[in-house]
Amino acid sequence: MTEPHPSAARLRATPPLTAAAAPGDLGRGTRLPLLDLPPAGPPDAPPAGAGPYAAATGPAGPPEPPGAPTGQADPGLLADALADLTELYEHTALLARARGLEAALAALLGSGAALLGARRGFVVVGSPGGVGRPVGLGLDRSGLGALETVPADQGPFGGLLRPHGRPHQVLHPDLAGPATPARLREVAGQLGLGASVGLPLSTDGDGPPAAAVWFYDGPAEPDERRLRLARAYCEAAAPLLAGQLEADRARRAGEALRRGLLPDRLPRLPGVRLAARCVPAGLDRSTGSDWYDAIALPDGTLGLSVGSVSGDGPGAGPGSAPGAAAAMGRVRAALRAYAVLEGEDPVSVLGDLELLLKTTEPARSATAVYAWVEPDERRITLAGAGHCPPVLVTRHGANFVETSLSAPLGMLSCWEAPGVELDAERGDLLVLYTEGVARRFGPTLHAGQSALRRAAADAPRDVRTDPDRLCAHLLACSAPAGAADIPAGGGPGSGTDDLVLLAARFE
């Protein structure tokens, strides 16, 4: 029995193209480079017209001898080409499904390593001012830092970040060899790197170029098939990565703008200690914009506020988030002015803010709570406008500060609500928060507020006496099980609501 061609067995083992790997799922504008398919006939195949019907137009040549090639492609070569194309589609589909720049870079490095048979790698993005920080696969921060000490033109991606005239690849088959630049050879020896393959990740018109490098543990050089697949993959990945980079730059610019609209520091006053947390939703998902503020007033008292500005009126969605963020900045600035003028009367502060909102932002509404604090007397006077009730955390537990039921600002012809006064004891904490935090605690707003209060009451004693740790504790408790969308550094979360907490502890 004739043994089947090994490539035919490989073809049978290759999974069929699925909908997930179809070209339509790779993103608009994505183009997979075509792999070279085997020719349809032997190199010396006769031209069209010289086949069986040649006798009708001219004399035919001598008959082909028995067993001569029939003009059909080698099934083994076709099987290899189809398997390569399938593998390329699968890896490119993984990259297309990645959400966010970090996930895209991880997918890129993992797929490139699989195609090349490498184990480690890194990708670096050029910037107008030079080279950005690399992202690594199998390389920790110290390893990436060591690679950054290699001059760019002598590194494993040397020349790949040039604006023009980039090489199509950079190979170092033996990083310990004399042909390797001295600094790269030294770093490679420290990290146990034996060989490297560098490929560009750039397209015309997509801004600063990027490059990826993969490492082998010992001297090695990938065969032509692996290199051809990796180059085709990087060519397809380049526009996808460019789109992720552009979205990341826009997100960073938007978040920088929003951070500029919030306090860059909290005031320090005798008798009170403050802490705050703000995790804004991305501008592409946000349905509004929240703020917090702490104002040291001229008479030595303190004004505290949190609030939220909705989009362009009822039913506004994520498309209105940038406008809501700008409106939030204007509303917060106005509230600061009213607090300086009449901060000891929270009802007047919110009443003036409501009049301003109706006059200058008629299509928007806002919820807010404003508290006037006398640190020496530990006295609190506050008023709320459709906002979640604050929580007072004491050594006996935690309780809501029940503000009277009132509508959000800008919703009624005339807003009015009475203020609330209370006295705190030494060691008590007042916690103000926005609706986004409460909604993460439970299926409804009311259930979430109750769960937040319980989380504050059940916090360890050393947490309940530290406003910074209490804010961190409440944010951690609010995250759904298994969620990882509250960045430790205060970056944007994945929800549609901002998360804002402001806590004041009486010393």
Side-chain angles (χ1 to χ4, degrees):
M1 180 179 298
T2 303
E3 290 294 330
H5 192 282
S7 297
R10 179 182 174 185
L11 175 61
R12 289 194 298 271
T14 301
L17 288 175
T18 62
D25 287 340
L26 301 182
R28 181 171 296 180
T30 302
R31 180 179 64 84
L32 283 177
L34 295 178
L35 300 177
D36 295 330
L37 295 175
D44 55 350
Y53 300 102
T57 57
E64 294 180 352
T70 61
Q72 295 182 354
D74 183 352
L77 295 179
L78 283 175
D80 286 345
L82 183 57
D84 289 348
L85 190 60
T86 300
E87 187 174 9
L88 182 62
Y89 272 130
E90 288 172 346
H91 284 295
T92 312
L94 287 175
L95 178 62
R97 290 195 295 268
R99 292 294 176 262
L101 180 60
E102 184 177 349
L105 293 177
L108 172 75
L109 287 171
S111 291
L115 291 170
L116 288 167
R119 194 169 67 87
R120 290 178 282 181
F122 74 95
V123 60
V124 64
V125 179
S127 64
V131 177
R133 293 194 62 83
V135 175
L137 169 70
L139 292 167
D140 57 18
R141 184 173 300 179
S142 62
L144 292 173
L147 288 168
E148 285 185 285
T149 65
V150 181
D153 58 342
Q154 301 177 14
F157 55 85
L160 295 177
L161 294 180
R162 295 173 189 161
H164 305 286
R166 295 184 290 271
H168 69 285
Q169 64 188 35
V170 174
L171 300 179
H172 289 281
D174 185 4
L175 289 171
T180 305
R183 181 55 185 163
L184 177 57
R185 184 167 62 248
E186 179 184 354
V187 171
Q190 295 172 356
L191 300 179
L193 307 175
S196 68
V197 180
L199 297 174
L201 289 160
S202 304
T203 61
D204 295 336
D206 279 331
V213 179
W214 289 273
F215 294 106
Y216 299 93
D217 292 342
E221 185 172 355
D223 58 32
E224 181 55 34
R225 174 187 165 273
R226 287 186 181 274
L227 273 176
R228 177 167 48 88
L229 275 176
R231 285 197 299 265
Y233 174 73
C234 288
E235 184 179 340
L240 291 172
L241 182 61
Q244 292 283 7
L245 287 168
E246 182 62 28
D248 185 70
R249 283 191 287 266
R251 179 187 65 79
R252 290 179 182 273
E255 296 308 324
L257 172 63
R258 297 182 75 184
R259 285 194 299 270
L261 298 174
L262 295 173
D264 56 356
R265 61 182 181 85
L266 296 173
R268 294 186 177 183
L269 277 74
V272 66
R273 186 153 51 104
L274 303 174
R277 287 290 190 280
C278 179
V279 182
L283 286 178
D284 58 335
R285 297 180 298 267
S286 178
T287 56
S289 191
D290 297 355
W291 83 83
Y292 70 92
D293 209 349
I295 310 136
L297 300 175
D299 59 358
T301 59
L302 180 67
L304 304 175
S305 73
V306 297
S308 177
V309 176
S310 68
D312 298 321
S320 63
M328 177 270 287
R330 295 190 292 268
V331 169
R332 172 180 166 262
L335 189 146
R336 291 176 69 91
Y338 297 141
V340 171
L341 293 174
E342 49 193 4
E344 72 282 357
D345 187 353
V347 173
S348 295
V349 169
L350 293 183
D352 289 344
L353 188 65
E354 197 263 350
L355 180 60
L356 178 75
L357 191 69
K358 288 175 60 177
T359 303
T360 62
E361 311 279 350
R364 305 185 192 276
S365 63
T367 66
V369 60
Y370 174 76
W372 181 59
V373 178
E374 299 176 86
D376 293 339
E377 303 294 330
R378 294 190 291 277
R379 183 175 297 116
I380 305 167
T381 306
L382 57 83
H387 202 80
C388 299
V391 173
L392 185 66
V393 183
T394 71
R395 65 176 182 269
H396 305 294
N399 295 289
F400 290 118
V401 179
E402 294 292 350
T403 56
S404 59
L405 186 63
S406 59
L409 303 176
M411 297 292 287
L412 302 178
S413 58
C414 182
W415 177 87
E416 185 175 357
V420 176
E421 294 186 4
L422 68 150
D423 293 323
E425 297 181 2
R426 191 182 304 275
D428 290 353
L429 283 96
L430 180 68
V431 180
L432 311 180
Y433 57 96
T434 54
E435 185 175 310
V437 178
R439 288 196 178 278
R440 288 174 61 91
F441 272 94
T444 65
L445 179 59
H446 179 74
Q449 291 172 352
S450 298
L452 184 150
R453 183 196 62 79
R454 288 194 300 271
D458 295 340
R461 178 176 175 79
D462 57 337
V463 172
R464 286 189 286 115
T465 58
D466 186 326
D468 188 72
R469 295 182 63 184
L470 181 62
C471 287
H473 173 77
L474 292 176
L475 273 185
C477 291
S478 73
D485 58 347
I486 297 184
S494 65
T496 59
D497 288 322
D498 297 343
L499 309 177
V500 171
L501 284 161
L502 178 61
R505 181 181 189 272
F506 295 93
E507 301 289 318

